[in-house]
Amino acid sequence: SIPAGVTTESCGANTVITGVPSSVQNPFTSKLISLYFPQNITPSDVAAAGGTNSHGLLSSYSNSYPGTDKQHMGDLRIDHDFNEANRVYGVYHGSAEDNATSFVSFPYTGLGLNQTFRKNGVLSLSYTHVFTPHLVNEARGGYNIQNEYKHDNTTVTQFLSSIGLSPAEVAEYDTTIGTGAAMYGNPNVAFTSTKIATFGDDSRNSDRNLNQHLATFGDTVSWQKGRHSLKIGADFVRNEAQDGFGSTRNVPQSSMSYSGGNNLVGFTNFLLGNAPHSYQYVELPRPATDVSNWETAYYAQDDFRMNSRLTVNMGFRYDRYSPYVDKNDIMANFDPNYRNATTGQLGRYVIPSTKTLKYMQYTESDN
């Protein structure tokens, strides 16, 4: 039913809500709209966009917003011979980017642009030692690091404070949704109407770390012995990666939905401060994916000069890549070919340990 205190208009067989007087609007939702909804849209703007003045609806909307994309880069190189037997070489490249070019939740321009901060560092070092003219050792190492953080402009707690909730009310809300309150982003509001866009955040990128770290070390011995040119060595690589993609799964910042269809009853209930018909939060958000593995390689090569016109190259290499291991045991796989012998149900999840169970989402059904 249409809430009391609003104005309506007959539109054929339907009754359409045309206004919610400010005197009956909830102060929190009114503040939210004044801060985060598009502002200064006149009736002529609505008409020009194909809407109607009486209903105040836009069929399309576009807006320009100043963004930023700043990058800083630098390089450093060192080449030094201590003496004829010892030489070092090193090069470092660093870069950083501060980017804000996409809306957090269009068309709610008041939420601003999503922020992306990225830092990269690449270091390569080598040390060459000449034991004799026929025996040389080269040790090399380095790292490649990228740290990236994407986030919205306010945390849930800051957002709630901005629309007028008292510290005590914010604390109560924070207690209800737990960890999600400290995350960047905001509560999502869906109006179950094609006429009103969902008030969202930047979804998986609302609060997301995306880091990759690689460290490497290797050593090669070159030995010239008679007609043999031997090379023997090994390489070791440590990979680490963190990704917060799963941490924002199912909107831990909380979400709510107002039913009512396209006659704007849901949006009207929102304006009046009435309770949504459904509310959701994530009791235990998943931690970020935090994986690591090792890559190792061992090799030997012999270039054997049989005579002045023929050289035989012989060698072998052994590579080993260990599987990625997640620090929090949240990596899981789905086995679609498994059939439960008792129920006949197809499929099962394969998980690393019982630590994973508390982060799994599943649905029980009587069907």
Side-chain angles (χ1 to χ4, degrees):
S1 61
I2 295 176
V6 304
T7 60
T8 61
E9 177 182 302
S10 296
C11 187
N14 299 316
T15 300
V16 178
I17 295 171
T18 58
V20 181
S22 58
S23 59
V24 297
Q25 291 184 22
N26 181 276
F28 300 133
T29 55
S30 293
K31 184 69 172 179
L32 186 154
I33 289 173
S34 68
L35 287 176
Y36 300 111
F37 275 49
Q39 303 298 313
N40 302 320
I41 300 176
T42 66
S44 59
D45 294 327
V46 176
T52 63
N53 292 344
S54 60
H55 296 164
L57 298 174
L58 289 171
S59 59
S60 64
Y61 174 71
S62 63
N63 191 13
S64 297
Y65 200 89
T68 60
D69 189 6
K70 303 175 183 177
Q71 296 195 52
H72 305 276
M73 292 180 287
D75 296 279
L76 176 65
R77 172 172 170 162
I78 297 175
D79 236 327
H80 183 67
D81 294 343
F82 291 98
N83 49 49
E84 291 184 357
N86 295 280
R87 171 185 297 177
V88 295
Y89 165 82
V91 61
Y92 174 79
H93 171 76
S95 66
E97 182 179 15
D98 180 353
N99 178 289
T101 57
S102 62
F103 279 109
V104 167
S105 178
F106 192 80
Y108 302 106
T109 53
L111 291 171
L113 302 176
N114 185 269
Q115 309 294 312
T116 299
F117 301 94
R118 176 189 56 79
K119 291 184 178 181
N120 285 73
V122 180
L123 176 66
S124 179
L125 297 170
S126 71
Y127 167 57
T128 303
H129 178 69
V130 180
F131 292 97
T132 71
H134 301 289
L135 183 62
V136 179
N137 186 81
E138 180 194 18
R140 58 197 175 276
Y143 67 76
N144 187 337
I145 292 176
Q146 174 171 293
N147 292 328
E148 185 173 295
Y149 186 28
K150 301 173 181 286
H151 67 79
D152 293 351
N153 293 289
T154 63
T155 64
V156 173
T157 298
Q158 292 169 337
F159 175 84
L160 296 174
S161 297
S162 75
I163 63 173
L165 270 71
S166 69
E169 290 169 326
V170 171
E172 185 177 352
Y173 195 97
D174 289 358
T175 300
T176 301
I177 71 170
T179 307
M183 297 177 66
Y184 280 97
N186 51 266
N188 288 204
V189 188
F191 303 106
T192 61
S193 168
T194 59
K195 298 182 182 297
I196 306 293
T198 296
F199 182 80
D201 56 16
D202 207 21
S203 187
R204 295 294 180 95
N205 290 324
S206 59
D207 194 330
R208 180 182 181 185
N209 278 303
L210 187 60
N211 304 326
Q212 298 184 66
H213 301 163
L214 179 152
T216 181
F217 173 77
D219 191 88
T220 301
V221 176
S222 300
W223 183 25
Q224 185 74 39
K225 180 68 173 178
R227 290 185 291 172
H228 294 273
S229 295
L230 297 167
K231 286 188 176 181
I232 302 172
D235 288 313
F236 305 91
V237 179
R238 173 70 171 180
N239 293 300
E240 297 179 348
Q242 296 87 37
D243 189 351
F245 185 79
S247 301
T248 48
R249 186 171 183 261
N250 294 332
V251 195
Q253 297 94 333
S254 77
S255 61
M256 59 197 78
S257 181
Y258 285 85
S259 62
N262 285 331
N263 64 356
L264 304 183
V265 171
F267 185 61
T268 301
N269 277 312
F270 169 74
L271 291 176
L272 296 173
N274 295 331
H277 80 271
S278 68
Y279 183 79
Q280 175 180 306
Y281 65 94
V282 179
E283 185 173 1
L284 184 66
R286 291 182 179 180
T289 301
D290 191 346
V291 297
S292 61
N293 86 320
W294 281 96
E295 301 176 20
T296 55
Y298 308 91
Y299 53 89
Q301 179 178 317
D302 181 14
D303 295 340
F304 177 57
R305 184 170 58 85
M306 300 186 68
N307 55 52
S308 60
R309 303 179 63 181
L310 178 63
T311 299
V312 178
N313 306 106
M314 299 174 290
F316 73 89
R317 180 183 177 95
Y318 172 75
D319 291 273
R320 182 178 184 276
Y321 300 86
S322 68
Y324 278 96
V325 176
D326 187 274
K327 183 181 296 184
N328 300 300
D329 274 359
I330 62 171
M331 294 179 67
N333 286 299
F334 183 71
D335 178 8
N337 298 316
Y338 172 81
R339 180 185 292 275
N340 186 296
T342 303
T343 65
Q345 181 176 342
L346 286 172
R348 64 176 173 178
Y349 282 102
V350 181
I351 60 177
S353 73
T354 55
K355 289 167 53 179
T356 319
L357 287 173
K358 60 186 177 182
Y359 300 117
M360 300 292 290
Q361 178 179 328
Y362 63 94
T363 301
E364 294 184 357
S365 175
D366 294 331
N367 297 328

